[in-house]
C-alpha cells in the first residue's frame, strides 16, 4: 500500500546542493510518471527534467526479505540498486545502496500529504579522519500532483 501512494503523474521541483559532483547549486523541474507494470508487481518511474536528463526506476516490495527493492537508471549511464524500509511513524520510505569504491547512497520518500511527498538523495564517502561523510551529491525534490484550473 505504501507504493500505491506514489502512482500517477507528478510535478517535481528539485534543488541539488553544492557537492563534489555538483560544483554549484542546481535547480531543475521535472515531470515524473509512475505506473504499475508486470501484473502489478513493479512500480515503473520515468522522468525527464528541465536539463534534459532522463531516468527510470523499478520499485517493488520483496516479501521474502521484508524489504522494498529499487533499481534506478539514468541517461548519463548511472545506475544503482537499493533496499528500503518503511517507517510508519515518520511516513517515510528509506533506501540505502552501496555504490562501490566506498560510496553510499541514501534516499528517502517522506509523505507530506495525499498530494505531495519529498524525495531526498545523498551520495557520500566516509572519510577516516575525521569520521564524517564527504558529500558527492545531495538533492531534495518536492513532488506535487498537478492542479486542475
Amino acid at each position: 500500500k505504501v507504493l500505491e501512494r506514489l502512482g500517477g503523474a507528478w510535478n517535481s521541483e528539485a534543488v541539488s546542493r553544492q557537492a563534489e559532483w555538483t560544483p554549484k547549486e542546481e535547480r531543475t523541474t521535472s515531470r515524473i510518471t509512475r505506473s504499475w507494470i508486470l501484473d502489478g508487481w513493479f512500480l515503473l518511474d520515468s522522468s525527464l527534467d528541465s536539463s534534459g536528463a532522463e531516468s527510470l526506476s523499478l520499485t517493488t516490495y520483496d516479501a521474502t526479505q521484508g524489504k522494498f527493492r529499487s533499481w534506478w537508471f539514468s541517461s548519463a549511464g548511472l545506475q544503482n540498486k537499493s533496499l528500503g524500509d518503511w517507517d510508519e511513524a515518520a511516513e517515510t520510505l528509506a533506501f540505502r545502496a552501496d555504490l562501490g569504491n566506498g560510496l553510499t547512497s541514501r534516499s528517502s520518500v517522506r509523505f507530506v500529504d495525499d498530494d505531495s511527498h519529498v524525495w531526498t538523495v545523498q551520495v557520500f564517502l566516509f572519510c577516516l579522519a575525521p569520521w564524517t561523510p564527504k558529500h558527492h551529491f545531495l538533492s531534495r525534490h518536492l513532488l506535487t500532483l498537478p492542479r486542475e484550473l
Side-chain angles (χ1 to χ4, degrees):
K1 294 188 177 198
V2 172
L3 294 178
E4 290 174 8
R5 296 174 70 179
L6 296 172
W10 299 85
N11 293 326
S12 173
E13 296 179 10
V15 177
S16 297
R17 302 284 182 216
Q18 183 179 1
E20 185 77 18
W21 294 345
T22 47
K24 62 180 185 173
E25 184 176 283
E26 295 177 5
R27 294 179 178 269
T28 57
T29 59
S30 60
R31 179 75 167 169
I32 298 171
T33 304
R34 297 186 183 120
S35 58
W36 289 99
I37 62 168
L38 301 175
D39 204 22
W41 285 99
F42 292 87
L43 185 64
L44 172 65
D45 173 313
S46 60
S47 69
L48 173 63
D49 76 23
S50 55
S51 74
E54 295 178 84
S55 68
L56 71 83
S57 69
L58 294 171
T59 307
T60 190
Y61 180 74
D62 184 336
T64 316
Q65 292 187 9
K67 301 272 185 192
F68 290 88
R69 295 173 54 109
S70 182
W71 298 264
W72 175 83
F73 307 90
S74 79
S75 58
L78 302 172
Q79 61 183 332
N80 77 41
K81 62 181 178 179
S82 57
L83 288 176
D85 293 296
W86 170 245
D87 181 335
E88 181 76 35
E91 296 249 343
T92 300
L93 184 56
F95 287 93
R96 183 179 178 128
D98 178 355
L99 304 179
N101 296 321
L103 292 171
T104 299
S105 171
R106 286 192 184 150
S107 61
S108 66
V109 175
R110 182 180 55 82
F111 292 97
V112 176
D113 54 37
D114 289 341
D115 296 334
S116 60
H117 55 277
V118 175
W119 172 42
T120 58
V121 179
Q122 299 178 62
V123 176
F124 54 89
L125 174 70
F126 271 104
C127 302
L128 292 178
W131 187 252
T132 56
K134 177 181 179 184
H135 281 96
H136 279 56
F137 183 75
L138 178 60
S139 71
R140 181 181 185 276
H141 308 251
L142 174 62
L143 286 84
T144 55
L145 287 172
R147 299 279 182 216
E148 299 213 13
L149 300 176

